[in-house]
Amino acid sequence: MPLIDTNEITKIYQLGDISVKALCAVSFSIENGEFIAIMGPSGSGKSTFMNILGCLDKPTSGRYLLEGTDVGSLGRDELAAIRNKKIGFVFQGFNLLSRTSALENVELPMLYNGVTAKERRQMAMSALKSVGLEGREHHYPNQLSGGQQQRVAVARALVNNAPIILADEPTGNLDTKTSAEIMGLFTKLNAESNITIILITHEPDIAEYSKRIIKFRDGCIVTDEANKKIRVKDND
Amino acid sequence: MINIPSTLKISLRALRVNKMRSALTMLGIVIGVGAVIAMLAVGEGASQKIADQIASIGSNLLIILPGSTSSGGVRMGSGTQTTLTMGDTDAILRECPAVADVAPEHGGVAQIVYGNQNWSTGIRGTTPNMLNVREWQLSSGRPFTGQEVKSGAKVCLLGQIVVDNLFGDIDPTGQVVRIKKVPFIVIGVLAPKGQSLTGQDQDDTIFVPITAAQKQLFGTQFPGMVRLIHVKAKSAEDLDAAEKQITELLRQRHRIGSKQENDFTVRNLTQLMQTQEESSKVMALLLGAIASVSLIVGGIGIMNIMLVSVTERTREIGIRMAVGARTWDIRLQFIIEALTLSLIGGVIGIIIGVGGSKILSAFAEWPTIISPFYVVLAFCFSGLVGIFFGFYPAYKASLLDPIDALRFE
């Protein structure tokens, strides 16, 4: 059974009298442990697709099975529970809570699944350690560099042991060197912890870290092929 | 499975971030709760004062006054006619089933002398029943006996004011005082009662046996004449029945024809005061209701600020939703925030309300009573206001679309 299986997913936005087709019958599947880059120009539907994969949005038609569960039939709170347990998000703008320490930011997903305060602390500490932020647990986001903030976000995505990380242009706000560090982190997580990583990017450099590249145009998948020359490390 | 301690922590932090705003929002509730408590304390104090006065004149009390005389069409005031007798007194006790006890009164104002001190006060000739009818205790000594009334013994009970003015520190019991130059032995002192509703000091009085007052001190136009009769009904419910029975009995005894007017008046003092007490209670509730309007205005302030806060924190809400916060996680977060604001405001309001009413009673000399029930009520009401006015912003927050919320700048 594939981890993610979509069957003819369409998404139509209704803007007044005009209906905009953001996705047209997208069907594909992702196995456990894949590392996928989704590419495409702005407005190609990749973000819409990502939102649907992330259970933040529902398709207008079509079927989306996540670990065999039909996500389309679930309610708001059930989708929230799936996001909590199965999916970790990493955003371009980091999306950390300001005035909240790194540690507490990482603890955030566990506030919503009944983990005790003590366990929360332990798990958040070890997640921060695994992204190399040991000793910065009590720093606030504005005291951390962009790369460090993104690591906190990655730790937050990891902390619930979610099998999938969805990264929406995770390196969009970072310089080349820091981008390489973050991509290295993803590669490591994919290889060592067998976490499925799906990332959206504009940059071919970044896409090269993945094992499979899917290209979108006008709401449709145009190419879906394995990456022949995977970049393991930054060629410095 | 909602994590209350963490939600509480999140809410408290959010409130700390905007200290000034939180404080100003709270102020509405503080003023509302403070006003409710102070108003109710003042109202409660006023009705308690009246209730005390009712207790001090004796409960379930009726007073029978003689009617007015008229000579040549000029009617004199109530009590100028002398129609009540000892016989009436005995008959009322005997024949009116709703009456518990009766005491006649005959007397007037006279000078009383002890040693080189003198004082003028109301002398009341009465029977020992008076103490029961007016619920008057003795602070020392003994009441006069039925035998002493019969024989017209020259004994007296002094009110506290009289004792203070004539005796100072000396124990008056057993001393001889002269009333209108007639020597009387002091056999007891009446317990202090304080002012009556009309501001008269009830302790400025002397009780003597009615026979002594009639024969030795003030005289009578006919034997057995009394100036007024105090009646104690069996219960508050019996007051009306007692009034009716007495009226009927006295009309018979005084041979008043069906078309003639009464030559006496029955006054229901207790009822009069109870009416006053009730109206002061209504007044207190009215004041409380007006004050609670300000509490509601405070609640609207909370709602306003919470709505602003929800808008400001749209992105935060989006992040929380993305990592798995459910509808009620978000709702509770904002409801607890509003509740915390209103409850802290409530506690401060209670302190200010209690303090304010203490100051009011100290400086304005208004009696205030802070009933714990009202304090608890005001606190709960402030909590309710928080939940009520916090719900809509929380509801709005929980319905945000996570994608839109995440994109919100």
Side-chain angles (χ1 to χ4, degrees), chain B residues 285-367:
Chain B
L285 283 181
L286 200 67
L287 288 174
I290 293 167
S292 58
V293 169
S294 64
L295 197 53
I296 288 170
V297 173
I300 294 170
I302 287 188
M303 178 147 86
N304 188 13
I305 284 303
M306 291 307 294
L307 283 171
V308 172
S309 171
V310 166
T311 309
E312 275 181 356
R313 285 150 69 194
T314 301
R315 210 176 158 82
E316 174 195 325
I317 296 164
I319 296 170
R320 289 180 185 279
M321 284 176 166
V323 302
R326 287 149 299 179
T327 316
W328 272 101
D329 291 316
I330 300 292
R331 256 177 226 179
L332 268 187
Q333 181 188 334
F334 286 96
I335 288 174
I336 287 179
E337 231 176 276
L339 192 62
T340 311
L341 273 178
S342 65
L343 288 186
I344 294 175
V347 170
I348 299 174
I350 286 171
I351 294 168
I352 289 180
V354 170
S357 37
K358 294 262 182 249
I359 291 170
L360 212 61
S361 53
F363 286 96
E365 288 179 0
W366 285 2

Side-chain angles (χ1 to χ4, degrees), chain B residues 178-190:
Chain B
R178 279 173 296 139
I179 304 171
K180 275 196 167 178
K181 294 180 180 151
V182 181
F184 277 75
I185 300 169
V186 179
I187 57 168
V189 176
L190 296 162

Side-chain angles (χ1 to χ4, degrees), chain B residues 121-148:
Chain B
T121 187
I123 315 291
R124 299 165 139 183
T126 185
T127 60
N129 302 36
M130 185 60 131
L131 298 178
N132 177 35
V133 171
R134 297 295 300 266
E135 291 169 20
W136 217 318
Q137 312 291 324
L138 292 182
S139 59
S140 68
R142 60 169 184 87
F144 37 81
T145 61
Q147 185 55 43
E148 281 166 330

Side-chain angles (χ1 to χ4, degrees), chain A residues 27-46:
Chain A
S27 304
F28 84 124
S29 62
I30 299 173
E31 296 297 329
N32 200 15
E34 285 199 68
F35 189 165
I36 299 172
I38 296 175
M39 299 188 71
S42 313
S44 62
K46 58 185 192 315

Side-chain angles (χ1 to χ4, degrees), chain B residues 21-90:
Chain B
R21 194 160 86 183
S22 303
L24 285 175
T25 311
M26 253 180 235
L27 195 60
I29 297 290
V30 169
I31 291 172
V33 170
V36 167
I37 287 182
M39 289 298 120
L40 289 176
V42 167
E44 192 83 345
S47 51
Q48 185 60 48
K49 191 176 175 182
I50 296 171
D52 285 347
Q53 281 168 343
I54 293 176
S56 82
I57 62 156
S59 53
N60 311 327
L61 187 67
L62 294 171
I63 287 178
I64 307 162
L65 295 163
S68 60
T69 51
S70 58
S71 65
V74 180
R75 294 170 75 190
M76 309 301 280
S78 184
T80 47
Q81 218 177 347
T82 49
T83 53
L84 298 173
T85 63
M86 290 297 284
D88 290 334
T89 314
D90 297 339

